Amino acid sequence: LNLQKLEEQLGVPVVPIHVARKQGVTELQSELERLRGRIASGQWQPAEHGPISGKEIGRFAEGPDSDHSETLARYAWIDQHAMLACSAGLVEANQPREQGLQSEGSTRAGKSRPQTSWSDRLDGWLTHGISGSLTFLVVMFALFLAVFLIAGPAGDWVDTGLGWANLAVSSWIPEGMFRDLLLEGVIGGVGNFLVFLPQIFILFLFIGLLESTGYMARAAYLMDRVFSPLGMSGKSFLPLLSSFACAIPGIMATRIIERPRDRLLTIMVAPLMSCSARIPVYSIMISAVVTANIFVQAAFMLAMYLIGVVTALVIVYVWKKLIWREASPEFVMELPEYQFPHVSEVVRRTCERSGEFVVRAGTIIMALTILVWAANYFPRNDQAVAVQLAEISRLETEIAGLSSETAESSQQTLSNRLDELQVEVAALRQEQSFLGQGGKWIEPVVRPLGWDWRIGCAALASFPAREVIVTTLGILYQVGDPEENQTELELALRQATWPGTGKPVFTIPVALSIMVFFALCSQCASTLAVIYQETRSVWWPLLSFVYMTVLAYIGAFLAYQIGTWVGL
């Protein structure tokens, strides 16, 4: 790029910048401040600068806080390593002048560009209908495999820290309702949710790296071939891709779609993309039930993501064929050059997204967890468990009076009986609680899905925010030793049995049923609020909630019944 020649032709300073590498940004800010001062003092006259009109200069002189400050750096040419930021409204320049500036202001090194570069050959593979699709599936599978391989040990570290917190609270705070709130409601609830933070961090990190290399643009181009027969364009891919992190920015990103009907349809299917809030649900079910090997676990995780994508495509197809019959729009986009990812920038953005996740856990999830704990704690009717409490008191007194010479086997027998009674009391109190009564009330509805009343309770409590199911299950099911390799909640789910039969509650068909339900159900009050904000109608968020809930129930029913039938 011949910057001096461009400055002469444009009549304005030209500053090359690279935002991702933070190159030239300070110089650009300094140059804009200098120009603003010259314009305000009258030292820079509009007549001297060709295509820049006096009207644009007047707007520019109003300052960076004015409504017209967007005219700064409005016109740019993009090259592989630099963006030319110009300071005023060059959009008024005619086309021949633009072409002349480009030809005079830049040259290409070397004699001629090869007819087929390595980038073109790579694009031929990655954007091909067959090889590109297979590559996309392999990349996604590798991503989820990394989530389990890398984030697993980190999750164990978090779980160990929670065990220390439990021990500290148990040692410092006397028995009573407040200690139960801290142990079961705060640490047990939010802690069981935060243990999945490493997995979410790894997912955000790998997606950011793929975006930074330029691969995600190829994926968008590839997906246009899938969307076009359905009556949509590849422009819907980017909002849907954003929805894998969170449906809220994905829904807001639909503003880039010009046609209102395509935008509305994208909004309605964006919540079907498996967002980060679903990761804890998938992870706990897969880790607790699917114990074959890490590759099978990754395949289950990938399948959950594909369920949402395939369902969304089917809904779009049906909607377009039966309701909005329009031709698919043209899709045009620029494929960026391949480049090595800017790791520092990707890590920074990943930390920001993960921080938002933690803030969400510390606000909405904390409040809902305390409400769930209270519903599970009250009413406190000790008369219903008076016999067990009396026996517990007697055993505690007997154990305390044992001498050091007492046989170890006798001590262990008394301790085991004490543990059994405490679990029995906890189970009886859960059934009598407000949450237990609600679960018993909806059990006939969820029983065809393979769920017991506890799973029904957790699903009911998770409608404001779907990730609350993990914290609710942590409250409803008694947990074991926090120092074990697996998380407390995983152990509790593996040990849960149906009353009177001894059969496990959480089988592969049940886990599939739960995951499919949460993959398809609309359980996020924030997402519904954003749909209302973007559509300015109560009808669309209501329709989204109803159709996704019905779809989730049908999908969960089929997953359980078919899984049981084939003997999973």
Side-chain angles (χ1 to χ4, degrees), residues 460 468 560:
L460 193 63
V468 175
Y560 174 71

Side-chain angles (χ1 to χ4, degrees), residues 286-307:
I286 293 173
S287 299
V289 178
V290 184
T291 58
N293 57 64
I294 195 71
F295 296 98
V296 176
Q297 291 179 330
F300 268 84
M301 179 75 85
L302 178 60
M304 290 303 105
Y305 277 77
L306 291 178
I307 283 175

Side-chain angles (χ1 to χ4, degrees), residues 191-469:
N192 282 328
F193 178 66
L194 289 179
V195 76
F196 299 101
L197 178 61
Q199 295 177 335
I200 293 171
F201 181 89
I202 295 298
L203 181 66
F204 287 165
L205 178 64
F206 274 75
I207 290 178
L209 291 173
L210 291 175
E211 290 175 344
S212 184
T213 60
Y215 175 74
M216 281 305 182
R218 275 74 184 175
Y221 175 80
L222 186 67
M223 289 299 102
D224 181 64
R225 299 177 180 176
V226 179
F227 289 165
S228 292
L230 304 175
M232 300 179 71
S233 78
K235 289 184 178 180
S236 295
F237 174 75
L238 296 178
L240 294 180
L241 179 64
S242 300
S243 299
F244 281 108
C246 178
I248 293 174
I251 291 171
M252 297 178 69
T254 60
R255 297 173 185 177
I256 67 173
I257 303 174
E258 295 87 355
R259 299 201 309 176
R261 288 187 174 183
D262 285 342
R263 178 173 181 252
L264 184 58
L265 187 52
T266 305
I267 288 174
M268 295 304 291
V269 298
L272 287 171
M273 303 301 107
S274 287
C275 64
S276 59
R278 292 178 169 102
I279 296 177
V281 184
Y282 299 158
S283 297
I284 193 64
M285 290 295 119
I286 293 173
S287 299
V289 178
V290 184
T291 58
N293 57 64
I294 195 71
F295 296 98
V296 176
Q297 291 179 330
F300 268 84
M301 179 75 85
L302 178 60
M304 290 303 105
Y305 277 77
L306 291 178
I307 283 175
V309 173
V310 172
T311 302
L313 295 179
V314 172
I315 290 174
V316 168
Y317 180 80
V318 173
W319 200 306
K320 281 285 187 177
K321 288 295 182 180
L322 299 182
I323 302 176
W324 291 341
R325 301 179 181 179
E326 293 183 0
S328 59
E330 295 295 331
F331 177 59
V332 179
M333 72 173 298
E334 179 184 2
L335 297 181
E337 295 285 345
Y338 291 103
Q339 58 184 344
F340 288 104
H342 308 294
V343 179
S344 60
E345 182 67 17
V346 172
V347 171
R348 183 186 65 81
R349 292 174 58 190
T350 301
C351 291
E352 289 178 354
R353 293 179 178 180
S354 300
E356 294 172 358
F357 178 85
V358 173
V359 170
R360 179 181 175 86
T363 54
I364 298 175
I365 303 304
M366 174 72 77
L368 291 173
T369 296
I370 293 175
L371 290 176
V372 170
W373 172 84
N376 185 55
Y377 192 85
F378 298 104
R380 203 71 171 175
N381 184 10
D382 287 342
Q383 293 182 353
V385 290
V387 175
Q388 290 85 351
L389 290 176
E391 182 66 12
I392 288 174
S393 179
R394 186 190 67 80
L395 286 173
E396 289 176 340
T397 302
E398 185 175 349
I399 292 174
L402 290 176
S403 63
S404 58
E405 291 80 14
T406 305
E408 183 178 346
S409 59
S410 300
Q411 294 180 357
Q412 189 62 44
T413 301
L414 293 175
S415 297
N416 291 341
R417 177 55 182 161
L418 180 61
D419 292 340
E420 292 174 0
L421 284 172
Q422 289 173 338
V423 171
E424 184 179 344
V425 169
L428 290 173
R429 281 176 169 167
Q430 283 178 354
E431 292 190 36
Q432 296 164 2
S433 67
F434 294 125
L435 193 60
Q437 294 175 29
K440 293 288 187 179
W441 183 72
I442 68 169
E443 187 172 24
V445 179
V446 300
R447 189 63 185 87
L449 310 182
W451 302 0
D452 68 354
W453 66 271
R454 291 181 180 85
I455 302 175
C457 282
L460 193 63
S462 66
F463 269 91
R466 56 178 61 88
E467 56 269 48
V468 175
I469 186 176

Side-chain angles (χ1 to χ4, degrees), residues 122 161 318 419 487 538:
L122 188 56
V318 173
D419 292 340
T487 65
V538 179

Side-chain angles (χ1 to χ4, degrees), residues 540-555:
W540 295 111
L542 180 61
L543 176 62
S544 175
F545 177 80
V546 172
Y547 101 81
M548 289 184 66
T549 303
V550 173
L551 194 64
Y553 188 90
I554 295 174

